[in-house]
């Protein structure tokens, strides 16, 4: 079987660890306290975040246990973040996890055996244990993804198991995180920022950067908001621009059905302008956003395999009377 590069991570059961796990899933980002030499050249395709098993045991005892595994596709590789992103970073006003990467939830797997009867290789399982004794630092390993994908009922090409169709992966949300001291939280969607003032500052900063870019390229820009964010014209040319911003990684963005349909309309030329890793100082009034990394997609049309429906409206059939 083809081996893929994995990041294996142990997440503890403390309130802080569980809160960070919830926030990481919400915002599609994960991070570590420091860079390790292997991160510089690694190009991981998958990540496993494991919780529910104590790592401070011998390997033979570890392999007898079970854990909950959160399986992710890694997006974008490692980068050095500059924004306070996790709750404890915000509270302490400092970067605690600057070595970051984007994560796309694929499946939550419960009560998974950590030994040979499970989907992990011994090296993969032991990497989780070693992560738990090393402050949750990610361990890079080579391991086939097929058994994990099969356990998650995710279809895959045996020749290219890394090309996971997002629309056929079950996924999961942070509401499915289980811990003995799980912090209380409101239901949120992927990438959601709970503070409305912070969310507004992020959105406006991303739009300001997009406007500055298109203006510098000779476009006249009109700010709309709906049905799309920016209307750009340059002589006979016309572009509609969707703008998204986040303090996390450039992994996924939330789209409404109208935004998807609009981007697929052949009568329009649509761009997607994403600003990630935005810094926000919440100790000023109003909040002060700054920085950010740009991901710019011109002539954008979202493909079906890159979309995951989170909710449907179901029209009930009329009952015969």
């Amino acid at each position: 079987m083809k081996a893929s590069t994995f990041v294996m991570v142990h997440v503890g059961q403390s309130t802080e660890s569980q809160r960070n796990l919830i926030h990481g899933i919400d915002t599609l980002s994960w991070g570590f306290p420091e860079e390790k030499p292997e991160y510089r050249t690694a190009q991981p395709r998958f990540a496993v975040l494991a919780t529910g098993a104590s790592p401070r045991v011998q390997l033979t005892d570890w392999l007898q246990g079970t854990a909950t595994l959160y399986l992710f596709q890694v997006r974008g590789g490692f980068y050095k973040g500059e924004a306070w992103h996790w709750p404890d970073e915000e509270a302490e006003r400092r970067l605690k996890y600057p070595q970051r990467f984007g994560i796309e939830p694929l499946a939550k797997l419960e009560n998974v055996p950590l030994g040979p009867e499970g989907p992990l290789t011994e090296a993969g399982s032991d990497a989780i244990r070693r992560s738990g004794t090393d402050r949750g630092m990610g361990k890079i390993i080579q391991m086939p993804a097929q058994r994990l994908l099969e356990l998650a009922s995710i279809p895959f090409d045996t020749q290219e198991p890394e090309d996971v169709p997002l629309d056929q992966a079950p996924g999961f949300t942070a509401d499915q995180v289980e811990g003995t001291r799980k912090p209380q939280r409101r239901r949120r969607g992927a990438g959601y920022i709970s503070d409305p003032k912070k969310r507004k500052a992020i959105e406006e900063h991303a739009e300001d950067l997009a406007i500055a870019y298109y203006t510098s390229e000779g476009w006249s820009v009109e700010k709309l908001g709906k049905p799309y964010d920016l209307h750009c014209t340059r002589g006979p040319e016309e572009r509609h621009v969707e703008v998204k911003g986040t303090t996390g990684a450039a992994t996924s963005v939330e789209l409404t059905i109208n935004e998807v349909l609009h981007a697929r309309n052949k009568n329009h030329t649509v761009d997607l302008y994403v600003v990630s890793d935005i810094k926000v100082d919440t100790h000023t009034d109003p909040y002060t956003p700054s920085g950010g990394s740009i991901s710019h997609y011109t002539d954008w049309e979202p493909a079906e395999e890159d979309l995951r429906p989170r909710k449907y409206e179901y029209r009930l059939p009329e009952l015969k009377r």
Side-chain angles (χ1 to χ4, degrees):
M1 290 189 288
K2 178 180 178 179
S4 299
T5 304
F6 276 76
V7 186
M8 310 300 280
V9 182
H10 183 276
V11 180
Q13 290 293 297
S14 69
T15 300
E16 180 180 286
S17 295
Q18 291 294 299
R19 184 181 292 116
N20 282 348
L21 177 59
I22 286 169
H23 191 74
I25 295 171
D26 261 339
T27 58
L28 309 175
S29 304
W30 199 250
F32 304 127
E34 64 186 49
E35 180 186 55
K36 292 211 169 186
E38 56 265 37
Y39 298 165
R40 295 171 192 163
T41 56
Q43 295 182 318
R45 301 303 298 272
F46 296 100
V48 171
L49 273 58
T51 190
S54 173
R56 300 192 180 279
V57 296
Q58 295 298 315
L59 177 59
T60 52
D61 295 327
W62 170 264
L63 295 175
Q64 301 301 312
T66 63
T68 295
L69 307 183
Y70 297 93
L71 175 63
F72 301 88
Q73 190 175 48
V74 174
R75 305 290 294 173
F78 289 104
Y79 70 97
K80 187 173 181 180
E82 297 183 357
W84 300 332
H85 182 68
W86 278 270
D88 52 342
E89 289 186 324
E90 290 276 7
E92 298 177 32
R93 292 176 55 81
R94 67 185 180 96
L95 283 174
K96 294 183 67 177
Y97 317 106
Q99 193 64 37
R100 300 177 182 174
F101 57 98
I103 52 176
E104 184 64 55
L106 296 180
K108 176 188 177 185
L109 305 170
E110 299 182 84
N111 298 315
V112 177
L114 295 170
E117 67 274 26
L120 306 175
T121 62
E122 183 173 307
S125 182
D126 188 38
I128 296 171
R129 183 182 71 93
R130 291 187 293 110
S131 169
T133 61
D134 186 21
R135 298 169 297 150
M137 294 292 295
K139 304 301 178 183
I140 307 295
I141 64 143
Q142 297 292 317
M143 183 178 74
Q146 283 89 328
R147 292 181 68 185
L148 278 166
L149 296 174
E150 287 172 352
L151 186 60
S153 300
I154 298 173
F156 61 91
D157 183 336
T158 55
Q159 301 302 314
E160 295 294 337
E162 298 171 349
D163 295 336
V164 177
L166 190 61
D167 61 332
Q168 296 184 55
F172 55 89
T173 67
D175 292 291
Q176 293 171 259
V177 172
E178 295 177 1
T180 55
R181 288 173 285 183
K182 179 179 176 181
Q184 295 296 312
R185 63 190 300 277
R186 293 186 302 142
R187 185 175 183 85
R188 305 171 188 168
Y192 184 77
I193 302 295
S194 60
D195 183 342
K197 288 172 63 178
K198 184 175 182 180
R199 189 165 66 249
K200 186 172 190 246
I202 290 169
E203 291 170 354
E204 290 182 345
H205 181 65
E207 283 193 344
D208 288 345
L209 290 180
I211 291 169
Y213 167 77
Y214 281 95
T215 301
S216 71
E217 293 293 310
W219 296 86
S220 296
V221 181
E222 180 185 4
K223 194 172 177 178
L224 296 181
K226 292 183 180 180
Y228 51 92
D229 294 310
L230 305 178
H231 182 76
C232 301
T233 55
R234 187 172 61 184
E237 298 178 87
E238 179 179 312
R239 286 188 178 271
H240 301 176
V241 183
E242 289 289 350
V243 182
K244 303 291 181 181
T246 177
T247 61
T251 304
S252 297
V253 295
E254 285 199 335
L255 301 173
T256 66
I257 184 62
N258 287 337
E259 288 170 340
V260 172
L261 294 176
H262 181 261
R264 289 177 168 177
N265 189 326
K266 301 300 183 184
N267 294 322
H268 309 308
T269 301
V270 181
D271 292 354
L272 177 64
Y273 194 94
V274 180
V275 186
S276 57
D277 198 35
I278 297 174
K279 292 183 280 189
V280 182
D281 187 347
T282 58
H283 290 74
T284 61
D285 188 16
Y287 292 176
T288 307
S290 62
S293 298
I294 309 300
S295 300
H296 191 196
Y297 306 88
T298 57
D299 302 326
W300 167 64
E301 183 178 336
E304 200 64 39
E305 64 268 21
D306 293 327
L307 292 167
R308 176 187 285 142
R310 293 191 174 273
K311 186 168 66 172
Y312 290 101
E313 176 185 347
Y314 176 61
R315 183 178 61 187
L316 297 175
E318 291 190 13
L319 295 174
K320 295 182 179 179
R321 300 187 184 277

